[in-house]
Amino acid sequence: MANVVVVGAQWGDEGKGKIVDWLSERADVIARFQGGHNAGHTLVIGETVFKLSLLPSGIVREGKLAVIGNGVVLDPWALFAEIDRLAAQGVRIDTDSLIIAENTPLILPLHQDLDQLREEAAGKAKIGTTGRGIGPAYEDKVGRRTIRVADLGDDETLEARLDRLLAHHDALRQGLGAEPIDRAGLKAKLLDIAPKLLPYAGPVWKVMAEARKSGKRILFEGAQGSLLDIDFGTYPYVTSSTTVSGMAASGTGMGPGAIDFVLGIVKAYTTRVGEGPFPTELHDSDGQRLGERGHEFGTVTGRKRRCGWFDAVLVRQTCAISGMNGIALTKLDVLDGFETLRICTGYEIDGRHYDYLPTAAALQAKVVPIYEEMEGWAESTEGARSWADLPAAAVKYVRRVEELIRCPVALLSTSPERDDTILVTDPFAD
């Protein structure tokens, strides 16, 4: 059976939550493979709105196995707060519906402290993190001093991990003018949460291999967006993990051969939260209109998103890097009523034309977008469920997007509602 990876193709907030939820009806296993609780997915199911940060979007569907892979960094307190919120909405989560990789690194209070201390010290040079400790947790992972889920089950191992971890963090905190870590208090918190967390822990790589062998459909769910990738994003204004499709394999313990279809989620315009380059950003009434109509505020932080025209250069770039087989184009209805639309088709930097975004920060700062104008449409596309329901100008816009990014539209989303989706190509088709 086909296995599908879903990744954001822009700077996040593309509407992955709805698409993953929609696809999860066809899947048996839904696995998160990177990021932490800095992600934000909003699901609208009937009259109920679910806001997820850490749990895979498929968790709201009965009979599915939700997986948190080793590529994720896990704040256990945030996890159980999210589980409690969903329980209050009638979603039951137990060890039959959720498994967490036993080698998943933990986000601790000291990671959040360090994240915030650094941003405060950076002043105007801040990166714009969510302050939830994601970056410092990944640093400890690659620095081989992290505490992982399985470590909570053995006191001797936990003691050794704490010694190594605090030797590093206390030195950093001293340099930033903060007090040393309360070691006893931290260990007490870990011992308190361990009995709740450990029952969910298991060898995810083995579970995934068995699921694949038995012919179950697997949906790999990414967080953030490709332009926030630690390698291929607008560095240093990026997240601390790999957000492109290749991470789905290593972030869950599977080989790349397990991936059959890569679906990129693409918003019909462009948004970004936080600092960093944004070639098509608008500071006028059109930008304000996009933000208001698109309700562009972060699910996790509530921060207002920066808005701009669709950037085909960047999306073409991310489609190539992730090897996307198709895209899900979302929020087309936000463009309803614009007399004229603009699409960025290239860049000019110091008189030279570029068909990609250069890596050098100095060049990125000089980018001038080259636009192509298209006729807008007055009719509403909200709730459309077939091509026949779309105005001709809207269809023309979608077709031009496909041409420019060199990737076909597999799904078209016309509202936050689960069923307001036009299926062109089923990613799960064998």
Side-chain angles (χ1 to χ4, degrees):
M1 306 293 280
N3 299 323
V4 177
V5 177
V6 173
V7 292
Q10 294 157 305
W11 276 295
D13 309 309
E14 303 97 346
K16 291 184 294 297
K18 173 197 165 169
I19 300 300
V20 170
D21 171 64
W22 193 86
L23 288 170
S24 67
E25 185 176 16
R26 295 167 169 78
D28 302 296
V29 180
I30 300 94
R32 268 285 302 273
F33 59 84
Q34 52 76 218
H37 64 305
N38 56 338
H41 294 165
T42 301
L43 311 181
V44 181
I45 302 173
E47 299 297 318
T48 307
V49 177
F50 298 100
K51 292 186 180 292
L52 307 178
S53 295
L54 191 53
L55 292 164
S57 298
I59 197 73
V60 301
R61 288 187 181 273
E62 292 185 10
K64 312 293 182 179
L65 177 63
V67 172
I68 294 178
N70 55 277
V72 172
V73 283
L74 177 71
D75 182 325
W77 298 277
L79 171 68
F80 287 107
E82 190 169 323
I83 288 175
D84 289 343
R85 286 197 301 273
L86 289 178
Q89 292 183 280
V91 179
R92 185 184 175 202
I93 300 170
D94 55 28
T95 54
D96 291 325
S97 60
L98 174 66
I99 183 171
I100 300 169
E102 55 194 4
N103 54 337
T104 299
L106 298 180
I107 299 176
L108 307 177
L110 57 83
H111 293 126
Q112 296 178 14
D113 290 347
L114 183 58
D115 210 350
Q116 293 163 15
L117 285 167
R118 282 176 171 168
E119 285 287 85
E120 291 169 7
K124 292 183 178 180
K126 66 180 180 179
I127 293 173
T129 76
T130 60
R132 283 165 166 74
I134 311 299
Y138 275 117
E139 289 177 44
D140 284 340
K141 175 182 178 177
V142 298
R144 293 165 293 183
R145 56 182 170 265
T146 194
I147 294 174
R148 304 195 293 181
V149 172
D151 298 334
L152 300 182
D154 179 70
D155 191 68
E156 186 176 343
T157 300
L158 182 59
E159 286 284 348
R161 296 280 192 269
L162 283 169
D163 286 344
R164 184 174 176 85
L165 183 68
L166 268 57
H168 176 78
H169 277 268
D170 280 342
L172 283 177
R173 291 169 71 91
Q174 184 178 10
L176 290 166
E179 294 294 320
I181 302 294
D182 176 3
R183 189 185 194 282
L186 175 58
K187 184 178 180 183
K189 288 181 179 179
L190 290 170
L191 293 178
D192 179 65
I193 202 74
K196 294 179 67 176
L197 185 62
L198 287 173
Y200 291 93
V204 158
W205 65 269
K206 187 172 184 293
V207 171
M208 299 290 278
E210 290 171 352
R212 186 186 179 204
K213 185 177 180 180
S214 64
K216 291 183 177 179
R217 287 177 168 175
I218 302 171
L219 181 61
F220 299 89
E221 177 182 354
Q224 289 88 39
S226 299
L227 294 171
L228 294 173
D229 184 85
I230 189 66
D231 290 310
F232 296 103
T234 48
Y235 191 90
Y237 303 101
V238 293
T239 194
S240 298
S241 62
T242 298
T243 60
V244 296
S245 63
M247 186 64 187
S250 61
T252 57
M254 300 195 78
I259 299 170
D260 301 299
F261 194 100
V262 179
L263 180 69
I265 313 301
V266 180
K267 195 177 287 186
Y269 50 101
T270 311
T271 62
R272 176 166 201 170
V273 172
E275 312 298 323
F278 187 167
T280 64
E281 183 174 10
L282 295 171
H283 301 282
D284 58 11
S285 58
D286 284 337
Q288 183 176 351
R289 184 176 176 184
L290 288 171
E292 290 174 352
R293 294 203 57 184
H295 306 291
E296 296 298 349
F297 295 91
T299 301
V300 171
T301 63
R303 290 185 292 181
K304 184 179 179 181
R305 297 176 188 138
R306 300 153 65 190
C307 297
W309 295 119
F310 185 81
D311 192 330
V313 181
L314 289 178
V315 176
R316 181 170 63 241
Q317 193 166 317
T318 58
C319 284
I321 291 168
S322 272
M324 292 177 191
N325 303 100
I327 67 165
L329 190 65
T330 67
K331 290 200 168 186
L332 182 68
D333 54 301
V334 174
L335 301 182
D336 293 352
F338 280 90
E339 290 186 14
T340 303
L341 300 170
R342 306 180 89 188
I343 297 177
C344 177
T345 59
Y347 301 138
E348 185 178 300
I349 305 173
D350 293 332
R352 177 183 169 187
H353 182 271
Y354 285 78
D355 62 356
Y356 69 99
L357 183 67
T359 298
L363 294 178
Q364 290 181 359
K366 297 179 181 179
V367 163
V368 177
I370 299 170
Y371 285 114
E372 174 182 301
E373 291 193 348
M374 295 192 68
E375 179 186 358
W377 55 90
E379 305 95 321
S380 173
T381 63
E382 185 174 0
R385 298 185 181 183
S386 72
W387 287 108
D389 296 333
L390 297 176
V395 174
K396 186 176 180 181
Y397 181 85
V398 173
R399 294 306 186 202
R400 184 57 177 150
V401 165
E402 289 180 312
E403 290 176 352
L404 290 169
I405 67 173
R406 300 170 190 163
C407 190
V409 169
L411 294 163
L412 187 64
S413 172
T414 57
S415 93
E417 295 290 338
R418 176 187 279 174
D419 295 325
D420 290 342
T421 305
I422 300 172
L423 176 63
V424 182
T425 302
D426 186 352
F428 278 119
D430 296 335

